[in-house]
Amino acid sequence: MKSILLGLLLITPCVVFSKEPQIYDVNRHILNAINVHVWSGFYSPREVQKTISYLLEDGADEAMLRGSVNGVFEQKLIAERAWPQITDNDRLNSVFAELKNKGILCLHNTGYTMSDGHEDSYDALSRFPKSQFYGYCFYHGQDLERAVFGGGLMIAYDHVNGDVPDKIKVGQEIKTELEKGGFTLNWNGTTNQRINIPNFDWKNRTSWYKYHDR
């Protein structure tokens, strides 16, 4: 967990809500991580505060950073009121549920890198009967960051037996269901490329119980 969070400090784009020039670079990086965590919709205020604890280093304004969290949550909750009833995230959830029924295990926001995502997927697969799934797919923490900042969403996938000829069937099934869900894809149809949803509009609602988990 700590290595994943530290990755945010190194890679998260320098896009922040605060534009005050006196904010040091280390604060900008951590503010970006806060924004990603909040706007991702996956984390509670308490979890974001834990993230700040992992990322803090010399020169960081801890009081300012911790004090910004509730304000960013408030901004997101206000923005959610204008969101459509069904967002791209809702449609993706439905697609992932359908793929699970068809034998492909789908994971949201798993790990921070490709290798993390594959490792976490195998861990998840181990909790089910071996015959239940023939493939899996996921997007990882770096994919999440890009999606939150409007860079589209990449979906990785694999066969449970690795790089076998039937791996292409996993990709084809994912493509079919994503297109049924209304998504426009960028994919060359080979196992050498992940499936890209270039115009994915990230709008993942923050659960009310998480927001009050302080």
Side-chain angles (χ1 to χ4, degrees):
M1 178 65 174
K2 187 172 182 178
S3 62
I4 294 172
L5 294 171
L6 289 174
L8 283 167
L9 181 60
L10 298 175
I11 301 177
T12 303
C14 287
V15 179
V16 297
F17 288 96
S18 176
K19 297 181 180 180
E20 298 179 13
Q22 68 269 26
I23 296 178
Y24 298 119
D25 286 344
V26 62
N27 291 328
R28 292 182 186 277
H29 283 297
I30 299 175
L31 281 170
N32 285 340
I34 291 169
N35 288 328
V36 169
H37 275 63
V38 173
W39 286 87
S40 75
F42 289 123
Y43 302 96
S44 70
R46 183 178 299 174
E47 291 168 328
V48 177
Q49 293 290 350
K50 288 181 180 178
T51 297
I52 294 172
S53 297
Y54 283 120
L55 298 179
L56 282 174
E57 61 178 271
D58 291 343
D61 186 342
E62 181 175 0
M64 179 275 293
L65 293 166
R66 293 194 182 280
S68 72
V69 173
N70 286 341
V72 181
F73 270 100
E74 292 288 354
Q75 290 179 33
K76 182 174 185 289
L77 288 173
I78 291 171
E80 287 182 12
R81 297 171 189 167
W83 288 2
Q85 183 177 357
I86 298 177
T87 68
D88 280 359
N89 291 83
D90 296 324
R91 292 192 289 136
L92 182 65
N93 290 338
S94 296
V95 169
F96 274 16
E98 184 62 27
L99 287 169
K100 182 178 180 180
N101 292 334
K102 293 190 173 185
I104 298 175
L105 181 64
C106 306
L107 300 178
H108 295 274
N109 186 28
T110 184
Y112 190 71
T113 65
M114 284 288 287
S115 59
D116 291 336
H118 285 291
E119 183 178 346
D120 289 354
S121 295
Y122 275 104
D123 286 343
L125 285 166
S126 69
R127 304 184 194 111
F128 297 91
K130 289 186 177 180
S131 60
Q132 184 167 347
F133 298 107
Y134 73 95
Y136 63 88
C137 70
F138 63 87
Y139 59 90
H140 53 62
Q142 293 179 56
D143 297 323
L144 172 64
E145 291 175 19
R146 285 190 291 269
V148 167
F149 287 121
L153 183 65
M154 300 287 289
I155 306 293
Y157 63 91
D158 206 348
H159 194 279
V160 295
N161 294 324
D163 194 16
V164 296
D166 280 350
K167 177 179 176 177
I168 189 61
K169 295 181 180 179
V170 180
Q172 290 168 342
E173 188 67 60
I174 295 169
K175 173 182 181 293
T176 296
E177 293 304 321
L178 286 171
E179 290 179 337
K180 283 183 181 179
F183 293 108
T184 299
L185 310 180
N186 184 357
W187 183 50
N188 65 8
T190 75
T191 58
N192 296 322
Q193 187 181 76
R194 290 192 290 165
I195 298 173
N196 182 23
I197 312 175
N199 298 317
F200 194 96
D201 185 14
W202 189 273
K203 285 182 169 64
N204 190 30
R205 290 180 174 85
T206 300
S207 298
W208 185 251
Y209 79 90
K210 283 189 173 183
Y211 179 67
H212 287 282
D213 178 21
R214 299 187 185 186

